[in-house]
Amino acid sequence: MFVDRIKVFAQAGNGGRGCVSFRREKFVPKGGPDGGDGGRGGDVILRADRHVDNLTGLFYEPLIKGKSGGHGMGKKMHGRSAPAKIVKVPVGTIVYRDEAGTTVSKDRELPLQPVVDLTEENQEFVLCGGGKGGKGNVHFKSSRNRAPIQYTEGEEGEQGHFLLELHTIADAGLVGYPNAGKSTLLRKISAARPKVAPYPFTTLHPNIGVVEFSEYGRATIADIPGLIEGAHRNLGLGHDFLRHITRCHLLLFVVDAAGSEGRNPIEDLQNLRREIDLYDPTLSQRPWFVIANKMDLPARENLEALRKRFPSIEIVPVSAMKGEGIEELKTALAKWLIDAGEEDRQSENRHLHLTRPVEL
């Protein structure tokens, strides 16, 4: 099961109540009040973890509750503060607060602006803060109140409904129609093993692969499930797929150069570019390149037509099934990432998530 959007209810622990107690010892007839304070309730904390790739864990635990703090005790002893409830989420998780507590629907607009965007490894965010502990009766003694019996209850912990949404983080994203060969290509250039089958929509969720370059350079590549026309209107699984390319630093359009599915590769590329632009105009401004797949089939005429139609775009011909052109693709990919990284540092408006610098 792959879950990339989930609604949860979080509640931090309550603070422990204060204690009413009086010192009672031999030879101390008027010991006075000595009730301790209650402990603090446990926070609910989200922690980004690169070893977690989706939100399935929260599907089985949609109610997240922190523990309450311990109550105060005599001899001015404070109650134990509860440990924080740490929930591990994938890097790239965006948190929204849903005040209305409505049911999540794939057609429903997000309720509010993001509360936090967890984009760094081990980044933490306190989703709900634990309540403070109550005060014991030792705080209420005075010259006029020598034997106070007052105390305070612990504060309630924060709570609320939240919507968590995963936007996959990768250096590059493979975008294309169903059966264009994206999963097969990812298998060839990385150690990832996505499902491959001769029918559309084999891939139902993004798969991440790590591509190794020379001199120990590496980059992450996301296999985005196949898009269809009208994806920007959420047709098919449009928004579920499209939001995963918003993190990608550059876009690699994989087209069936042979037209084996009865489609024209030029029209496929134009439709994909249009869908991405209609979904988010900023995506169409990112660096993009074309991978002409299935060159083991009769595709030379379509390849020349592609190059003639897009003369300023680099097009790399490959055959993912037979492994032809893979090394040339990896060399070109390393160059593209370096160029995109330099452009990004100049614009300072995006972040390149390279595991290590690429060196040719």
Side-chain angles (χ1 to χ4, degrees):
M1 179 185 293
F2 181 89
V3 178
D4 58 1
R5 195 165 186 249
I6 189 71
K7 172 75 174 296
V8 299
F9 175 78
Q11 181 179 17
N14 298 330
R17 66 171 179 268
C19 175
V20 175
S21 174
F22 295 92
R23 185 178 179 185
R24 292 288 188 270
E25 294 184 31
K26 191 175 182 180
F27 307 121
V28 187
K30 297 180 180 179
D34 66 350
D37 299 340
R40 181 181 176 85
D43 299 333
V44 175
I45 297 177
L46 299 181
R47 176 185 295 169
D49 190 334
R50 64 184 179 88
H51 298 291
V52 180
D53 60 359
N54 66 83
L55 300 169
T56 304
L58 293 174
F59 178 83
Y60 297 104
E61 190 182 1
L63 301 178
I64 309 171
K65 292 188 176 182
K67 294 184 178 180
S68 297
H71 300 313
M73 295 171 285
K75 298 183 179 179
K76 300 181 182 180
M77 290 190 294
H78 289 207
R80 182 189 297 271
S81 294
K85 172 73 172 181
I86 297 178
V87 180
K88 296 181 179 180
V89 297
V91 177
T93 300
I94 302 178
V95 182
Y96 302 86
R97 179 179 288 275
D98 187 1
E99 298 289 356
T102 52
T103 303
V104 172
S105 168
K106 84 171 193 176
D107 298 322
R108 185 170 67 85
E109 295 294 329
L110 295 176
L112 289 175
Q113 292 297 317
V115 176
V116 67
D117 189 357
L118 301 173
T119 58
E120 301 293 337
E121 168 72 2
N122 292 324
Q123 181 181 352
E124 292 187 350
F125 174 72
V126 179
L127 191 64
C128 294
K132 294 182 179 179
K135 294 182 178 180
N137 67 335
V138 70
H139 294 279
F140 298 94
K141 66 181 179 180
S142 67
S143 58
R144 301 183 63 182
N145 188 6
R146 307 301 296 272
I149 58 173
Q150 295 92 343
Y151 71 98
T152 60
E153 298 283 350
E155 295 182 1
E156 292 187 355
E158 297 177 345
Q159 63 181 27
H161 295 271
F162 299 90
L163 179 62
L164 277 63
E165 189 174 74
L166 172 62
H167 289 215
T168 302
I169 291 181
D171 297 317
L174 300 177
V175 184
Y177 270 81
N179 263 18
K182 301 183 297 299
S183 297
T184 304
L185 181 62
L186 187 64
R187 278 173 165 256
K188 292 294 183 179
I189 63 177
S190 72
R193 289 295 177 265
K195 181 180 179 181
V196 174
Y199 53 82
F201 295 106
T202 307
T203 303
L204 297 178
H205 58 80
N207 294 292
I208 303 294
V210 178
V211 182
E212 301 283 349
F213 301 108
S214 59
E215 301 297 331
Y216 304 102
R218 59 176 58 183
T220 53
I221 308 297
D223 170 20
I224 308 299
L227 301 178
I228 63 173
E229 193 169 355
H232 72 280
R233 301 195 307 272
N234 213 13
L235 294 183
L237 295 175
H239 289 179
D240 291 343
F241 292 170
L242 281 168
R243 69 167 170 264
H244 288 286
I245 67 176
T246 59
R247 303 281 196 183
C248 297
H249 191 69
L250 59 87
L251 304 180
L252 306 177
F253 290 89
V254 182
V255 297
D256 178 2
S260 60
E261 298 292 319
R263 297 189 306 269
N264 185 294
I266 295 179
E267 293 179 359
D268 283 359
L269 184 55
Q270 291 174 332
N271 290 337
L272 289 170
R273 292 284 299 164
R274 181 169 58 252
E275 292 297 329
I276 287 176
D277 183 70
L278 290 173
Y279 176 73
D280 185 351
T282 62
L283 290 177
S284 60
Q285 301 174 8
R286 297 188 185 181
W288 63 283
F289 305 92
V290 179
I291 302 174
N293 193 22
K294 302 188 180 182
M295 292 301 298
D296 52 306
L297 302 176
R300 291 297 169 184
E301 293 184 5
N302 289 339
L303 177 61
E304 293 304 320
L306 272 172
R307 286 174 170 166
K308 185 176 180 180
R309 175 63 181 81
F310 302 96
S312 61
I313 301 299
E314 290 190 58
I315 301 176
V316 179
V318 302
S319 172
M321 179 174 291
K322 294 190 175 181
E324 299 173 356
I326 298 302
E327 290 303 319
E328 292 79 0
L329 173 61
K330 292 175 68 174
T331 301
L333 178 58
K335 176 181 177 297
W336 295 340
L337 288 170
I338 292 175
D339 294 342
E342 292 177 353
E343 178 182 333
D344 191 66
R345 282 190 291 272
Q346 293 175 0
S347 61
E348 296 183 355
N349 62 352
R350 290 188 300 272
H351 177 66
L352 177 61
H353 298 280
L354 281 174
T355 309
R356 294 188 63 172
V358 177
E359 298 179 18
L360 294 176

